[in-house]
């Protein structure tokens, strides 16, 4: 994964475009101590044929960011479309002609000790060049984590709250130390929730199944995109229902979805082969469709994309 910012990267910080080296927060910043921030992850794909950089579903990401900010009573002064335009401007100022990853971060910014937050809020948007998060071309090996997914009544998992990601960091670290590519979380009552940084689907007896939002998942934008592609292109309705751990072992196909992982086949769970131990046909087709759609090659899905360099290309037709 390449996600390092060069020294001359321009970021949006404290309502201005500044070089990344000038975007600094104080050591007493509330969010640094208590995790009181919400973040997003958005991808942009460079399409050399059209000389275009496409941001993928930026308005949906910013709508989620604003809603999650409200969970923490963090106020974001701009609308979701304004934030999407600001991000396109940030890409242009950096002159990016490569795949990118956008990291919006809103946080409680008071400089003082004390866990109860006040109304001092700030936000930043950073865009960096970005390649593969996980190389999933030949399928991933996943392991069920010994860490449980956080409960909505403890820390809302749907909130993409900074502090909540300790849960994902613990599970992801454990998985990698055990030789897996990614962790699979169970809920406290033992149902499959999601990966440490992605949603999960299974294919069983021809049905496409994914855990419901009430099983403590993040309501993924890629998850919704894949459900739409399955419905419209494969005539396959997704069942949202709880999934038992043992269904992972008997499923025909299992895959992850997420902005970073995209559509990532899982060929092994807990060292047991999934199906035939190779990438299954439904996963392969959804992966192909998602790839094509996010590169602007499927007219029906151009409405998902914000072109950075030629905004007139925005195609609102479904
Ligand atoms: N679950 C978790 C815990 C995540 O961090 C992510 C990444 N944002 C996802 C699922 C996938 O969400 P999305 O498709 O919106 O990136």
């Amino acid at each position: 994964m390449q996600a390092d910012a060069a020294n001359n990267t321009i970021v949006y910080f404290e309502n201005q475009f500044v070089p990344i080296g000038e975007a600094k927060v104080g050591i007493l910043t509330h969010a640094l101590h208590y995790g009181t921030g919400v973040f997003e992850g958005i991808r942009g794909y460079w399409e050399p044929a059209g000389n275009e950089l496409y941001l993928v579903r930026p308005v949906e990401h910013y709508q989620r960011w604003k809603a999650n900010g409200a969970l923490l009573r963090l106020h974001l002064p701009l609308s979701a479309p304004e934030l999407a335009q600001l991000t396109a401007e940030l890409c242009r100022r950096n002159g990016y002609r490569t795949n990118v990853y956008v990291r919006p971060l809103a946080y409680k910014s008071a400089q003082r000790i004390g866990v109860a937050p006040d109304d001092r809020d700030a936000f930043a948007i950073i865009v960096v060049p970005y390649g593969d998060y996980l190389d999933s071309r030949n399928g991933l090996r996943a392991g069920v984590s010994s860490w449980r997914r956080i409960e909505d009544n403890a820390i809302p998992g749907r909130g993409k709250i900074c502090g909540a990601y300790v849960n994902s960091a613990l599970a992801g670290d454990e998985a990698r130390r055990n030789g897996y590519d990614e962790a699979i979380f169970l809920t406290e009552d033992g149902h499959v929730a999601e990966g440490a940084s992605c949603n999960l689907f299974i294919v069983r007896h021809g049905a496409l199944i994914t855990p419901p939002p009430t099983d403590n998942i993040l309501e993924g934008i890629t998850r919704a995109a894949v459900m739409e592609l399955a419905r419209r292109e494969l005539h396959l309705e997704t069942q949202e229902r709880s999934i038992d751990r043992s269904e992972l072992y008997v499923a025909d196909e299992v895959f992850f979805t997420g902005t970073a992982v995209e559509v990532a086949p899982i060929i092994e769970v807990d060292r047991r082969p999934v199906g035939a131990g190779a990438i299954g046909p439904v996963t392969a087709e959804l992966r192909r469709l998602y790839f094509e759609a996010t590169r602007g090659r499927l007219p029906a899905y151009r409405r998902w994309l914000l072109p950075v360099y030629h905004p007139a290309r925005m195609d609102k037709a479904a």
Side-chain angles (χ1 to χ4, degrees):
M1 168 174 73
Q2 356 137 347
D4 295 333
N7 291 340
N8 59 356
T9 301
I10 302 293
V11 303
Y12 194 75
F13 178 72
E14 294 182 344
N15 308 316
Q16 295 180 61
F17 294 98
V18 295
I20 193 157
E22 290 174 25
K24 297 224 159 76
V25 296
I27 192 66
L28 268 180
T29 301
H30 196 276
L32 184 60
H33 294 244
Y34 306 117
T36 46
V38 293
F39 68 98
E40 269 303 324
I42 308 171
R43 271 205 192 244
Y45 292 108
W46 174 246
E47 179 64 346
N51 233 0
E52 187 56 275
L53 178 60
Y54 290 112
L55 296 173
V56 180
R57 311 199 82 171
V59 174
E60 286 89 341
H61 279 278
Y62 283 123
Q63 282 165 343
R64 183 171 73 182
W65 194 42
K66 284 177 70 80
N68 289 340
L71 269 175
L72 285 186
R73 292 196 309 95
L74 250 165
H75 178 66
L76 281 155
L78 301 177
S79 69
E82 285 168 341
L83 289 161
Q85 291 303 332
L86 184 60
T87 306
E89 174 62 19
L90 198 49
C91 292
R92 286 190 291 270
R93 287 195 185 217
N94 281 290
Y96 286 136
R97 288 181 149 70
T98 183
N99 293 347
V100 297
Y101 189 84
V102 183
R103 167 50 48 80
L105 173 68
Y107 54 98
K108 290 289 176 187
S109 59
Q111 301 284 315
R112 58 163 179 76
I113 303 281
V115 72
D118 61 24
D119 290 338
R120 272 168 285 181
D121 301 336
F123 77 94
I125 303 176
I126 305 115
V127 190
V128 291
Y130 197 68
D132 284 344
Y133 176 67
L134 292 171
D135 183 355
S136 65
R137 272 168 299 183
N138 299 318
L140 300 178
R141 294 179 165 77
V144 172
S145 184
S146 67
W147 296 97
R148 291 294 199 252
R149 178 70 179 152
I150 38 168
E151 280 289 326
D152 186 61
N153 284 310
I155 305 175
R158 67 163 46 75
K160 236 175 148 44
I161 294 167
C162 296
Y165 275 76
V166 171
N167 191 218
S168 292
L170 288 169
D173 184 51
E174 178 192 56
R176 276 169 200 99
R177 282 165 182 271
N178 286 337
Y180 299 120
D181 298 306
E182 175 67 325
I184 297 175
F185 274 126
L186 304 181
T187 59
E188 285 292 352
D189 68 359
H191 292 122
V192 175
E194 60 180 345
S197 61
C198 38
N199 292 116
L200 181 143
F201 288 73
I202 67 170
V203 179
R204 200 172 168 215
H205 306 314
L208 185 60
I209 309 163
T210 196
T214 45
D215 277 345
N216 296 328
I217 65 165
L218 181 87
E219 291 159 293
I221 288 165
T222 320
R223 175 181 179 272
V226 163
M227 286 165 76
E228 186 177 344
L229 289 170
R231 184 173 64 248
R232 291 176 56 140
E233 308 299 326
L234 308 184
H235 308 293
L236 200 53
E237 267 321 311
T238 307
Q239 297 174 18
E240 292 185 80
R241 67 148 173 87
S242 290
I243 295 176
D244 284 333
R245 176 183 189 158
S246 58
E247 287 189 281
L248 295 172
Y249 301 154
V250 298
D252 301 314
E253 301 181 34
V254 184
F255 62 90
F256 287 130
T257 65
T259 296
V261 302
E262 301 162 316
V263 178
I266 303 174
I267 53 163
E268 247 182 57
V269 177
D270 293 344
R271 308 202 193 284
R272 298 157 187 256
V274 172
I279 300 174
V282 176
T283 310
E285 188 55 5
L286 288 170
R287 180 181 168 81
R288 185 190 70 78
L289 286 164
Y290 184 75
F291 184 95
E292 299 283 311
T294 53
R295 269 70 176 178
R297 296 181 200 155
L298 302 181
Y301 301 96
R302 286 220 191 100
R303 67 200 147 81
W304 288 355
L305 306 176
L306 177 60
V308 163
Y309 292 106
H310 307 91
R313 280 185 185 154
M314 183 68 163
D315 182 352
K316 291 206 160 54

